[in-house]
């Protein structure tokens, strides 16, 4: 008997999928052809960034927000004009755009939600907490390059974290 599967990618997929399973399992049981049924899920939490990676990211973001100045012919952006959370939001969004331009969008990117009462567009930025380890590796490399471009003198925690991080990647 051929196998069949359904992907549940959003909450709205759960009920239709359960109805599909109920309909087909009922039919197969009625016909005496019920095969082995397995329901499984992939626990992606194992692939999420580690606490060490989180420390690296936050130390590097802090250095960038405190020190970086980015200049274009028409604009100068002093990251110190922003609070930490604002600077982090900017950096995450810039990283997300770069990954999209490379054809490697983040697994859990930004979303725009429309306020049903006002019609206002609300952007929910990509969450670094949901970054996979490989996304975090790319983000750390990107932060390092971006910070260097902005003239950042890395603090000891960021330098040590990055040195430890690069050494672990080489092993």
């Amino acid at each position: 008997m051929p196998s069949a599967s359904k992907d549940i990618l959003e909450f709205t997929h759960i009920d239709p999928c359960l109805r599909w399973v109920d309909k087909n399992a009922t039919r197969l049981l009625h016909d005496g052809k019920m095969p082995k049924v397995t329901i499984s899920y992939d626990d992606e939490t194992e692939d999420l960034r580690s606490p060490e990676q989180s420390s690296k990211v936050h130390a590097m973001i802090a250095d960038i927000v405190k020190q970086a100045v980015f200049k274009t012919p028409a604009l100068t952006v002093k990251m110190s004009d922003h609070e930490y959370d604002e600077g982090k939001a900017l950096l995450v969004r810039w990283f997300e755009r770069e990954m999209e331009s490379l054809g490697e969008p983040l697994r859990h990117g930004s979303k725009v939600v429309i306020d049903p009462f006002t019609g206002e567009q609300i952007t929910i930025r990509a969450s670094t907490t949901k970054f996979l380890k490989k996304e975090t590796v790319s983000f750390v490399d990107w932060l390092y390059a971006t910070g260097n471009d902005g003239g950042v003198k890395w603090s000891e925690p960021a330098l040590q974290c990055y040195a430890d991080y690069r050494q672990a990647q080489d092993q």
Side-chain angles (χ1 to χ4, degrees):
M1 172 171 271
S3 66
S5 66
K6 291 282 185 183
D7 292 329
I8 300 175
L9 304 174
E10 299 178 14
F11 290 114
T12 57
H13 296 164
I14 295 172
D15 285 339
C17 182
L18 292 175
R19 284 193 297 275
W20 177 83
V21 168
D22 181 51
K23 177 182 126 192
N24 287 293
T26 300
R27 181 179 51 82
L28 290 168
L29 279 170
H30 179 68
D31 294 345
K33 300 178 182 176
M34 185 64 179
K36 173 185 170 190
V37 175
T38 303
I39 297 175
S40 64
Y41 72 98
D42 294 328
D43 185 359
E44 294 179 343
T45 58
E46 294 176 17
D47 292 335
L48 294 177
R49 72 179 190 183
S50 68
E52 294 79 19
Q53 286 179 314
S54 181
S55 295
K56 291 171 198 48
V57 164
H58 290 286
M60 295 178 85
I61 289 172
D63 281 350
I64 292 171
V65 172
K66 287 177 193 169
Q67 303 173 40
V69 177
F70 301 109
K71 295 181 181 185
T72 68
L75 184 65
T76 297
V77 176
K78 287 177 54 182
M79 292 301 286
S80 61
D81 289 343
H82 300 279
E83 294 178 16
Y84 176 85
D85 287 342
E86 296 168 345
K88 180 179 179 181
L90 289 169
L91 291 166
V92 170
R93 183 63 184 132
W94 296 340
F95 172 69
E96 181 179 21
R97 281 193 182 130
E98 181 149 332
M99 295 303 289
E100 288 169 355
S101 74
L102 295 172
E104 299 176 25
L106 299 177
R107 183 178 61 112
H108 292 290
S110 297
K111 295 189 290 188
V112 175
V113 177
I114 306 298
D115 181 326
F117 293 107
T118 66
E120 176 186 8
Q121 291 186 357
I122 302 165
T123 301
I124 302 168
R125 74 161 172 83
S127 170
T128 57
T129 304
K130 294 181 180 177
F131 277 14
L132 297 174
K133 287 180 180 179
K134 70 178 189 168
E135 289 172 325
T136 306
V137 166
S138 295
F139 189 44
V140 168
D141 286 338
W142 182 88
L143 285 172
Y144 190 69
T146 300
N148 285 341
D149 289 346
V152 171
K153 304 281 189 262
W154 299 106
S155 66
E156 188 60 34
L159 277 177
Q160 187 57 49
C161 285
Y162 192 72
D164 293 347
Y165 162 81
R166 292 309 301 162
Q167 184 178 12
Q169 295 305 312
D170 294 338
Q171 293 177 357

